[in-house]
Amino acid sequence: MMNKRATAKDVADAAGVSRTTVSFVLNHTEGMRISEETRQKVMQAAEALNYHPDAAARSMVKGKTFILGFVIRQEPDKAYADLLLPEVMRGISEVASEHAYHLIFKPVPPADEKNSLTTLFLEHQVDGLIVSGPLANDQEIVDLFNANAPIILQGRIDYPNISSVDINNRKAAEKAVNHLISLGHQRIAFISNASLNYSSSKDRLTGYRRALEAAGFVYDEALVFYGDRTPDSGYQAMQNILRSSAKPTAIFIASDTVALGSLNALYQENIRVPEDIAIMGFDDIPLSKHLAPPLSTIHIPAYDLGWNAAHLLIKWLEHKEIPERDCILDTELIVRESCGSRHKDN
Amino acid sequence: MMNKRATAKDVADAAGVSRTTVSFVLNHTEGMRISEETRQKVMQAAEALNYHPDAAARSMVKGKTFILGFVIRQEPDKAYADLLLPEVMRGISEVASEHAYHLIFKPVPPADEKNSLTTLFLEHQVDGLIVSGPLANDQEIVDLFNANAPIILQGRIDYPNISSVDINNRKAAEKAVNHLISLGHQRIAFISNASLNYSSSKDRLTGYRRALEAAGFVYDEALVFYGDRTPDSGYQAMQNILRSSAKPTAIFIASDTVALGSLNALYQENIRVPEDIAIMGFDDIPLSKHLAPPLSTIHIPAYDLGWNAAHLLIKWLEHKEIPERDCILDTELIVRESCGSRHKDN
DNA sequence: TAATATTGGTAACTCGTTTTAGCAAAACGT
DNA sequence: ACGTTTTGCTAAAACGAGTTACCAATATTA
């Protein structure tokens, strides 16, 4: 017994009215006079038949899909390894739900022919896009934007007109490094969060450099190491530091996820944190405070990042309000134990 | 200059053929003879106009949306806090992409009127559903299944016909506890991963109990504590243990995420792991091996769980092959340092 | 040469909605 | 009693594809 879904026609027949009337009643269409009696009949018929309007049909006539795309500009394995992402998603999906939008989530690495961003939008699978972690020169995004696609960026891009919801990575990094300097550290190493093709990585490195130079230290490339968003890369980078002649007294690791691997490497070598070396992270992933020792870091308002991006996008879609300014959210220095300025027993 | 999307009609006009022909060419419809010359003309016109068929229109005529729903039966904050989820999602989304399906992700707590599961399917937003973490008696899922909705479960439910992709939680818990027993522990406490309304929690507790009893110990409720998927709940549970008269020498914590908080509580109290107390986790979240000390745990093949669920679902959708048996994947005991059977310097 | 088969294509219907335009019947005003 | 408004509803036209059924023109066969 294949229960076919009931259509508006079925409801109309059951209620003894026309499809038009059914549509008016169910959508509470303004300016249409329907007697209370018919309204009831329609409502009851719809209820009885368990009627739900077909999304595709509505989509076609409305010219909207009521679906938002959340796209990560990374390989799937890295995208899904990002521990901050779920919080961003939660922010987006909260707003989306509120406005009755759904969310398609998808990692779309740059230059991925078949699953390209463009396809997602041009096939009209989504009404608009939130793109996280664009490359600094992401031509596909620029093209899409110029083709009138509603896009909100999460991250900076070398193109002025596309608005973005982001943090000030440079300033935040400065804050972190300044704290280490204030604790008396003179040799501070740096491990990047990702390849410098990403603007966030570049900006965090710049912040590190500026803080050093502002304090009168020389920027030394021998103290700069690279991660690629994964704990393993942090482990590797730490190995490199330990085997190098760098001998820093503190390390600013521009990603808590990467720091995880670095801390593991230190643990294996019986190097104590913060007694032997001070560690400062970045991101404040949800578990940083649970590490041993709890990780000092820069808090990113991940949920708010998602929340704001979704809000701007939906405003754009519903009221044609194209955001004019970037939305830059505040970060916060979180001092825990890994950088040595506070002790367990405080 | 509002660049409207090109339609099949536009392509037809540009190529000087009918819409029908455009459709035949672009879909490589079998059994339809098209001269090489017209084929080329159509292809070029489509290319030139940057034509992409409208998803909603295609969806309507095909009766399929080519979207899969991945639904978590939890409150959003808990759903997004699950550190194993991204891996499951990666498995699903990999398969989905391969078959040109998209993925709508959504936490839908039980008894959520407006965003109910039912709506998602009956409005035909999705072709089928993967439901993670159903309640043991999840009536909405049963109803939906009986209305012929393609559903694959991830977790057990008290209803025999709906097929699921899962692990054997009971056996896995037994394995974990047996290991602790084999190390000589006699007082082993238990912290649950979540409320016992969830079958996974219940099964893990059962496994703990059986292992104890099989070894000749008595099951003691004073040694059983509860988490709710969050590190904070693990922190709290550990506080309770430390303040109780339980005094276990080992604790089996049925979730690494919960264990994170528990470890934090121990760290604060200067209780060493594994010297003072042995800890065994469950899940093998990606960062368990990076903790200090690295956490012994039960490995869950999260990616494969997602991969298999998506495969079964798509087989169902594409070939009407309704899976007949549950798919139970293997778990593995991962011995690291937190349970004390192996030392750092090995 | 006439009957038949093949090639290359199209007109028209379908999917399930929303929305515009219009039309009877009832209520109202003078 | 006759025109005008209001009330309550519907027919029909979109939306943009896929698909069925059919039709010319050309090629093949008897």
Side-chain angles (χ1 to χ4, degrees):
Chain A
M1 187 178 80
M2 190 63 171
N3 261 332
K4 280 307 286 175
R5 259 179 269 251
T7 78
K9 175 101 173 52
D10 299 331
V11 177
D13 291 351
V17 298
S18 71
R19 284 206 321 279
T20 313
T21 305
V22 172
S23 173
F24 287 160
V25 170
L26 265 31
N27 295 312
H28 306 101
T29 313
E30 310 224 357
M32 288 300 147
R33 309 162 204 292
I34 306 285
S35 72
E36 191 52 29
E37 196 194 339
T38 10
R39 176 185 306 281
Q40 288 301 330
K41 273 195 300 185
V42 171
M43 300 286 256
Q44 280 168 25
E47 178 83 8
L49 293 172
N50 197 16
Y51 170 72
H52 291 262
D54 183 89
R58 161 179 283 164
S59 193
M60 211 170 52
V61 61
K62 292 279 221 179
K64 293 185 63 178
T65 62
F66 296 97
I67 299 181
L68 265 34
F70 181 34
V71 165
I72 313 294
R73 220 64 175 126
Q74 282 170 51
E75 302 295 330
D77 54 337
K78 294 210 180 120
Y80 287 105
D82 182 345
L83 294 170
L84 217 50
L85 208 68
E87 271 301 286
V88 178
M89 250 178 107
R90 187 166 71 88
I92 296 176
S93 104
E94 178 106 354
V95 177
S97 277
E98 225 167 75
H99 293 259
Y101 278 74
H102 287 285
L103 190 62
I104 284 184
F105 174 77
K106 192 162 188 157
V108 179
D112 182 344
E113 187 72 20
K114 272 194 65 182
N115 291 322
S116 75
L117 264 186
T118 317
T119 301
L120 200 56
F121 180 73
L122 284 184
E123 287 188 349
H124 208 253
Q125 295 275 7
V126 301
D127 289 336
L129 290 163
I130 297 174
V131 181
S132 169
L135 295 178
N137 61 339
D138 207 317
Q139 192 55 40
E140 195 175 2
I141 291 178
V142 174
D143 291 344
L144 214 44
F145 176 78
N146 287 330
N148 296 308
I151 294 188
I152 301 288
L153 251 38
Q154 214 154 267
R156 212 165 44 68
I157 185 176
D158 293 344
Y159 185 83
N161 295 333
I162 312 179
S163 61
S164 113
V165 175
D166 203 0
I167 56 166
N168 188 323
N169 282 289
R170 183 181 54 70
K171 273 200 187 164
E174 281 182 39
K175 232 186 303 191
V177 175
N178 280 336
H179 181 72
L180 291 174
I181 292 174
S182 78
L183 294 176
H185 291 285
Q186 310 226 348
R187 284 188 71 75
I188 303 174
F190 175 86
I191 300 179
S192 79
N193 51 321
S195 137
L196 297 186
N197 291 329
Y198 292 97
S199 60
S200 68
S201 309
K202 210 161 47 177
D203 291 351
R204 291 175 196 182
L205 177 56
T206 305
Y208 160 78
R209 179 174 190 157
R210 287 221 199 159
L212 288 187
E213 291 176 346
F217 299 114
V218 288
Y219 169 77
D220 180 0
E221 286 212 344
L223 288 171
V224 174
F225 298 80
Y226 298 94
D228 72 353
R229 302 186 193 273
T230 64
D232 284 346
S233 72
Y235 184 93
Q236 194 52 56
M238 186 57 86
Q239 297 278 14
N240 293 343
I241 291 181
L242 297 178
R243 272 147 200 59
S244 75
S245 55
K247 305 288 174 213
T249 62
I251 309 181
F252 169 44
I253 305 175
S255 150
D256 286 0
T257 309
V258 172
L260 222 52
S262 305
L263 288 171
N264 189 237
L266 292 173
Y267 175 80
Q268 282 192 2
E269 303 276 343
N270 279 313
I271 299 176
R272 293 165 306 166
V273 177
E275 293 84 349
D276 300 332
I277 196 163
I279 300 291
M280 170 71 70
F282 199 114
D283 282 353
D284 195 25
I285 57 179
L287 52 90
S288 294
K289 66 161 162 295
H290 297 292
L291 294 177
L295 188 60
S296 292
T297 190
I298 295 287
H299 178 75
I300 297 185
Y303 176 87
D304 297 330
L305 241 32
W307 193 91
N308 279 283
H311 251 285
L312 288 180
L313 185 53
I314 286 185
K315 248 192 211 163
W316 189 340
L317 295 175
E318 307 258 278
H319 312 297
K320 311 262 177 243
E321 287 177 30
I322 305 179
E324 309 221 327
R325 294 286 311 143
D326 287 350
C327 168
I328 305 296
L329 301 186
D330 287 337
T331 56
E332 193 187 344
L333 176 68
I334 306 284
V335 178
R336 298 205 182 95
E337 296 170 22
S338 69
C339 61
S341 57
R342 220 171 69 174
H343 289 291
K344 248 206 271 203
D345 36 22
N346 288 5
Chain B
M1 187 178 77
M2 190 62 170
N3 261 333
K4 281 306 286 175
R5 260 180 269 254
T7 79
K9 175 100 171 53
D10 299 332
V11 176
D13 291 350
V17 297
S18 71
R19 284 206 321 281
T20 312
T21 304
V22 171
S23 174
F24 287 160
V25 170
L26 264 31
N27 296 310
H28 305 101
T29 313
E30 311 226 355
M32 288 300 148
R33 309 163 203 291
I34 305 286
S35 71
E36 191 52 31
E37 195 193 337
T38 6
R39 175 184 307 282
Q40 288 302 329
K41 271 195 302 188
V42 171
M43 300 286 257
Q44 281 167 26
E47 177 83 6
L49 293 172
N50 197 16
Y51 169 73
H52 291 263
D54 182 89
R58 161 180 282 163
S59 194
M60 212 171 48
V61 61
K62 291 280 221 179
K64 293 186 62 178
T65 63
F66 296 96
I67 299 182
L68 264 35
F70 182 32
V71 165
I72 313 295
R73 220 65 175 123
Q74 282 171 52
E75 303 294 332
D77 54 336
K78 293 209 180 119
Y80 287 105
D82 182 345
L83 294 170
L84 217 49
L85 208 68
E87 273 299 286
V88 178
M89 249 178 108
R90 186 166 71 89
I92 296 176
S93 103
E94 178 105 354
V95 177
S97 277
E98 225 167 74
H99 294 260
Y101 279 74
H102 287 286
L103 191 62
I104 284 184
F105 175 78
K106 193 162 187 155
V108 178
D112 181 345
E113 187 72 20
K114 271 195 64 181
N115 291 323
S116 76
L117 264 187
T118 317
T119 300
L120 199 57
F121 179 73
L122 285 184
E123 286 188 350
H124 209 248
Q125 295 275 6
V126 301
D127 289 335
L129 291 163
I130 296 173
V131 182
S132 171
L135 295 179
N137 61 339
D138 207 317
Q139 192 55 40
E140 194 175 3
I141 290 177
V142 174
D143 292 344
L144 212 45
F145 177 78
N146 286 330
N148 295 308
I151 295 190
I152 301 287
L153 251 39
Q154 214 153 267
R156 214 164 43 69
I157 185 175
D158 293 344
Y159 184 85
N161 295 333
I162 312 179
S163 61
S164 111
V165 174
D166 203 0
I167 58 166
N168 188 323
N169 282 287
R170 182 180 56 69
K171 274 200 187 165
E174 282 182 40
K175 230 185 306 190
V177 175
N178 281 336
H179 182 71
L180 291 174
I181 292 174
S182 78
L183 294 176
H185 292 284
Q186 310 225 349
R187 286 188 69 74
I188 304 174
F190 175 85
I191 301 178
S192 80
N193 50 320
S195 139
L196 296 186
N197 291 329
Y198 292 97
S199 62
S200 69
S201 309
K202 211 162 45 177
D203 292 350
R204 290 176 196 182
L205 177 56
T206 305
Y208 160 78
R209 178 175 191 157
R210 287 220 199 161
L212 288 187
E213 293 177 343
F217 298 116
V218 288
Y219 170 77
D220 180 0
E221 286 212 342
L223 288 172
V224 174
F225 297 81
Y226 297 94
D228 72 353
R229 302 187 193 273
T230 63
D232 284 346
S233 72
Y235 184 92
Q236 194 53 56
M238 186 58 85
Q239 297 277 16
N240 294 342
I241 291 181
L242 297 177
R243 271 147 200 60
S244 74
S245 55
K247 303 289 175 214
T249 62
I251 309 180
F252 169 43
I253 306 175
S255 151
D256 286 359
T257 308
V258 173
L260 224 51
S262 305
L263 288 172
N264 189 237
L266 293 173
Y267 175 79
Q268 282 192 1
E269 302 278 342
N270 279 313
I271 300 175
R272 291 164 307 164
V273 178
E275 293 84 349
D276 300 331
I277 196 162
I279 299 291
M280 170 71 71
F282 198 114
D283 284 353
D284 196 25
I285 57 179
L287 51 92
S288 293
K289 67 162 163 291
H290 296 293
L291 294 177
L295 188 60
S296 291
T297 190
I298 295 286
H299 178 75
I300 297 185
Y303 175 87
D304 297 329
L305 241 32
W307 193 92
N308 279 283
H311 251 283
L312 288 180
L313 185 53
I314 286 183
K315 250 193 209 163
W316 189 339
L317 295 175
E318 307 257 280
H319 313 298
K320 310 261 178 246
E321 286 179 32
I322 306 180
E324 310 220 326
R325 293 287 311 143
D326 286 352
C327 169
I328 305 296
L329 301 186
D330 287 337
T331 56
E332 193 186 345
L333 175 68
I334 307 284
V335 178
R336 296 203 181 97
E337 296 170 23
S338 69
C339 62
S341 57
R342 220 171 67 172
H343 289 290
K344 248 204 272 201
D345 37 20
N346 289 5

